[in-house]
């Protein structure tokens, strides 16, 4: 099973087993009305099922069959142990479900919340936000970034398979939504700068801006693949989410943990009128009659059959998963239950999905940071050849690594790295700040990603995560399987390009051309990274209304978060750090408001 072979618990991640990574493209084609395997006759069904069972990758076969879907459960009145009436049901209490619950309550709705875990799920820490009063604290208020530039970049990164209306509304409303979201956390401290000292009483709950002030050596307007300086981070997003959920509870929300949604209830017209749910300790069902249901059940990373169907490349390439969404028995909760309930109700699932694989550089330690970040120093494959313009974000780096022999490459740098870091992009996964001293222990994990000290590199060498040698030839000889002679020639050629100040081979920015000149020399192994999520969901609009396979609105059904379609496609965008979590929060709020109003 994927859980044992490819899974990774939060505990093992924090104990040092994780190597974060960048993403490859994953595409699923499901344009026809959904069919379970049993609806396809005879041998066709047998061969499809056999492919999944044998461990092979199973994608769209032209029939509309979804081998992962299965049959909707048949639930009789006699199976119902409890029946309740409400206005809105929120299914899933993660980064989208929590704000949906609060927004629906504040809109005057009677709300029931279902969560299959024993507590709310918080897997992120950053949000990309445009404008608003909170951002204005750092001079990044309304109008700070050009909307046309941002929206067009997102559409291009997703190959125009996403909804421009969804992306556009996110730009328009994220600033005000963040102001609303953080207002619920009364003791949240707002840091004046990225690396400002935090008062002792605020070190457990503070928010900070990324890259403020922006390093003088970074100008996103001159980058081929920019990372816009518009993101915020939290020392504990879970704390702020809990504060938001408490607002909903104080307003009367009925929160039921260890209880999962099972099947949507529909009337004769197809409108959704409620949901069947089941608690972990009951054989009976809970029937909830409601005016609206909001699906906020996350992605399907923990569902091996769905991964084979929508992202077969990830499975075929042996990309491990990192999921921390667990129930109280240690089972994954992000297994596509919302996708299934939607499909059974006739909802369309978008065709192009986006694996999220942030490569953080080679030799990640216990905190998930690569030895020297995903920085664009010299990268060579085992044939000893340079194979790309290394000045790429982590998402694209992963794509290139997967094309190399043994899906592996090595990242080389020399002892001049401390003064070189400042010239690398102020972006996610990049080590762009050098410090003599370690950051304070309370520093948010997101801030640590961009900082390196000499002690960091020394620890990586001591732990065997980084190779170190006095000469290039000695270093190359330490790499098992490396074609040393070809690698020496590649390094000589690279050093020539660096000395000339122009990369005529792969066209890397001259700002980041650093030769291997001053010993000692270092190398970090860069294999495939981890999939953090597979993003693709129910087709929806900017109002969070769900569409059927005929692309008609299904009344009473709303979606937000990773279950919502129209956000990402082909690969996860890199121009905005924390974009998925930000969209979860913003569209959770929108879904809750609209579900309460029934619009």
């Amino acid at each position: 099973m994927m859980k044992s072979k490819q899974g990774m618990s939060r505990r093992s991640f924090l104990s040092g087993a994780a190597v974060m990574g960048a993403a490859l493209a994953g595409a699923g084609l499901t344009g026809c009305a959904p069919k379970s395997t049993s609806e396809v006759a005879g041998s066709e069904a047998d061969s499809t099922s056999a492919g999944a069972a044998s461990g092979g990758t199973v994608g769209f076969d032209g029939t509309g069959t979804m081998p992962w879907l299965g049959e909707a459960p048949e639930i009789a009145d006699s199976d119902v142990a409890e029946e309740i009436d409400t206005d809105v049901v929120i299914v899933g209490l993660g980064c989208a479900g929590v704000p949906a619950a609060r927004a629906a309550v504040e809109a005057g709705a009677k709300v029931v919340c279902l969560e299959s875990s024993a507590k709310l799920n918080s897997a992120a820490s950053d949000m990309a936000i445009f404008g608003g009063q909170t951002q204005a604290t750092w001079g990044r208020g309304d109008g700070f970034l050009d909307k046309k530039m941002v929206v067009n970049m997102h559409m291009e990164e997703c190959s125009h398979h996403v909804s421009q209306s969804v992306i556009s509304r996110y730009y328009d409303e994220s600033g005000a939504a963040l102001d609303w979201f953080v207002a619920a956390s009364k003791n949240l401290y707002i840091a004046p700068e990225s690396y400002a000292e935090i008062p002792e009483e605020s070190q457990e709950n503070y928010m900070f801006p990324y890259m403020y002030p922006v390093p003088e050596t970074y100008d996103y307007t001159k980058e081929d693949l920019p990372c816009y300086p518009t993101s915020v981070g939290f020392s504990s997003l879970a704390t702020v989410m809990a504060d938001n959920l408490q607002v909903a509870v104080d307003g009367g929300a009925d929160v039921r943990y260890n209880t999962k949604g099972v099947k949507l209830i529909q009337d004769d017209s197809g409108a959704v009128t409620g949901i069947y749910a089941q608690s972990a300790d009951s054989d009976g069902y809970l029937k909830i009659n409601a005016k609206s249901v909001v699906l906020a059940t996350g992605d399907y990373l923990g569902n091996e059959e769905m991964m084979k169907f929508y992202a077969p490349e990830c499975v075929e390439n042996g990309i491990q998963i990192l999921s921390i969404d667990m129930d109280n028995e240690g089972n994954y909760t992000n297994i596509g239950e919302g996708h299934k309930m939607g499909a059974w109700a006739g909802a369309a699932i978008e065709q192009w999905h986006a694996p999220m694989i942030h490569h953080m550089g080679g030799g990640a330690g216990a905190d998930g940071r690569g030895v020297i970040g995903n920085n664009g120093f010299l990268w060579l494959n085992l044939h000893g050849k340079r194979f790309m313009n290394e000045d790429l974000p982590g998402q694209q780096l992963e794509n290139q690594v997967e094309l190399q022999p043994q899906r592996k490459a090595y990242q080389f740098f020399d002892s001049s790295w401390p003064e070189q870091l400042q010239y690398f992009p102020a972006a996610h996964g990049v080590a762009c700040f050098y410090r003599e001293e370690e950051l304070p222990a309370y520093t948010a994990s997101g801030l640590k990603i961009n900082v390196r000290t000499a002690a960091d590199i020394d620890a990586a060498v001591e732990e065997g995560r980084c190779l170190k040698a006095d000469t290039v030839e000695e270093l190359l000889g330490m790499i098992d399987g490396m074609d040393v002679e070809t690698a020496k020639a590649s390094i000589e050629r690279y050093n020539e390009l660096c000395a000339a100040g122009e990369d005529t081979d792969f066209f890397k920015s001259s700002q980041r051309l650093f030769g291997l000149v001053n010993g000692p020399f270092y190398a970090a192994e860069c294999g495939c990274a981890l999939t953090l999520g597979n993003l693709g969901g129910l087709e929806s609009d900017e109002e969070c209304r769900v569409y059927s396979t005929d692309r008609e609105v299904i009344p009473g059904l709303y979606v937000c978060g990773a279950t919502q379609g129209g956000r990402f496609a082909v690969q996860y965008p890199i121009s905005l750090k924390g974009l998925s979590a930000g969209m979860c929060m913003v569209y959770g709020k929108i879904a809750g408001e609209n579900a309460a109003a029934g619009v």
Side-chain angles (χ1 to χ4, degrees), residues 331-390:
N331 300 309
Y332 292 130
T333 58
N334 56 335
I335 54 176
E337 290 180 328
H339 296 70
K340 288 185 176 183
M341 286 187 283
W344 287 329
I349 298 179
E350 64 185 336
Q351 293 178 310
W352 296 88
H353 295 203
M356 180 192 294
I357 316 177
H358 296 154
H359 209 300
M360 307 298 280
D367 54 10
R369 298 185 302 163
V371 172
I372 196 74
N374 55 30
N375 295 36
F377 289 105
L378 172 65
W379 290 49
L380 301 179
N381 63 24
L382 286 174
H383 289 170
K385 293 184 177 181
R386 187 181 177 210
F387 54 90
M388 64 175 175
N389 171 354
E390 299 93 345

Side-chain angles (χ1 to χ4, degrees), residues 28 87 91 93-94 204 221 242 294 342 364 383 403 423 466 470 525 535 558:
D87 295 325
V91 191
L93 288 176
E204 294 185 358
T221 66
V294 178
H383 289 170
L403 297 175
Y423 297 103
C466 181
D470 291 330
E525 180 182 312
L535 303 174
Y558 299 83

